[in-house]
Each structure stands twice: as structure tokens, then as C-alpha cells.
Amino acid sequence: MTGGPLVVLVGPMGSGKSTVGGLLADRLGVPYRDTDADIVAAEGRAIADIFVDEGEPHFRELERQAVAAAVAEHTGVLALGGGAVLDAGTRALLAGLPVAYLSMDVEEAVRRVGLGAARPLLAVNPRRQWRELMEARRPLYTEVARVEVATDARTPEEVAQAVLDALELKDV
């Protein structure tokens, strides 16, 4: 099987991309890959440490490279980091691919991730920062997505089924 990932998941931190991605991969009988995990493995340190030590621009370059490699190599379910869509080249790579945007509101984000210190872009006034990030990123998520699946008040299993239904994919 060639032609890129079977499913690409985008969305904000805490939207369930990793959890739902794993479920989708299991249900579709394909491998799962997460570009954030690729970066951590390649760099040997946490993303928060990369932000602190090298800065966001350096991390975004690593992310751009990781996404390009994954889109070229991976044929299963692929989850991208929350900010991957900020790069125009990444958005161009995603054109025509089966991209699902996992959306949620700020209250759901607070409930799921607590908007804590492990999230470097949310270190000060996390609720306001999250809203500002989403104002900037929501149009980019919708630009690259073939479908949008709301995750609020849904279990990961329900979200996975909604993605399968929206993309008209059959599980194995």
C-alpha cells in the first residue's frame, strides 16, 4: 500500500489524537505513528525541553521534518502535533490526504489536560493562551481537514467510530 497515510489526525493538544489514533490503527489493522513521538525519539528529550533549550522555531523545524518524513513513509494512522499545521509546507503536504480534525472547546481541554506546565505554550494564563492558540490554529485545522469530529463529551471509542464514519473507512 502506497500513497501516504490512511488517516491523518490533527487538532489541539489534548484532543485525543494519540489515544484515538491508536484505536483507529487497531480497528483498521494498520500501524500507528505520532510525529511528536518521532521527535522525542530522534532528539532523546521531551518536547518541553526542546522548547526551553532551543526555542520554538527550532522545534517547529524539527516538527516540519518529522511530518514530511511521516507523510512520505507511513501508510497507517498518523497523528500530528497540535502546531504542525502552522507550517505552510506541512499544510500543502496534507492536501488531498484523509485528514480528520479532532476539535474541542476550552473547558474540555482543561478537563483533559489541565493545561499544565508540561505544555510550554500554555505556561502563563493557560485558558487565555489556549483560546488564542485556537483562534490562530482553528482556520488552519479546518483548511487541511477533510472532516471535523467534535470530541467534547465523547469517549475515545466514540470519536474513533465517528472518524471512521466521516472518512467512510471500514474497520477490520
Side-chain angles (χ1 to χ4, degrees), residues 51 56-64 83-84 86 121 137:
F51 264 81
E56 184 177 359
H58 178 74
F59 171 75
R60 294 297 172 205
E61 177 57 24
L62 295 173
E63 182 175 57
R64 186 192 64 70
L86 294 170
L121 293 178
R137 294 178 181 181

Side-chain angles (χ1 to χ4, degrees), residues 16-99:
K17 296 180 301 286
S18 297
T19 302
V20 171
L23 290 170
L24 284 170
D26 288 347
R27 290 179 67 174
L28 293 167
V30 297
Y32 169 72
R33 185 167 175 177
D34 181 318
T35 57
D36 279 351
D38 289 352
I39 294 167
V40 169
E43 293 294 303
R45 55 191 169 144
I47 288 171
D49 292 339
I50 298 169
F51 264 81
V52 169
D53 297 343
E54 309 291 336
E56 184 177 359
H58 178 74
F59 171 75
R60 294 297 172 205
E61 177 57 24
L62 295 173
E63 182 175 57
R64 186 192 64 70
Q65 293 171 11
V67 171
V71 167
E73 301 163 1
H74 189 67
T75 57
V77 176
L78 177 63
L80 305 187
V85 297
L86 294 170
D87 182 75
T90 293
R91 293 193 307 276
L93 280 177
L94 297 176
L97 294 178
V99 178

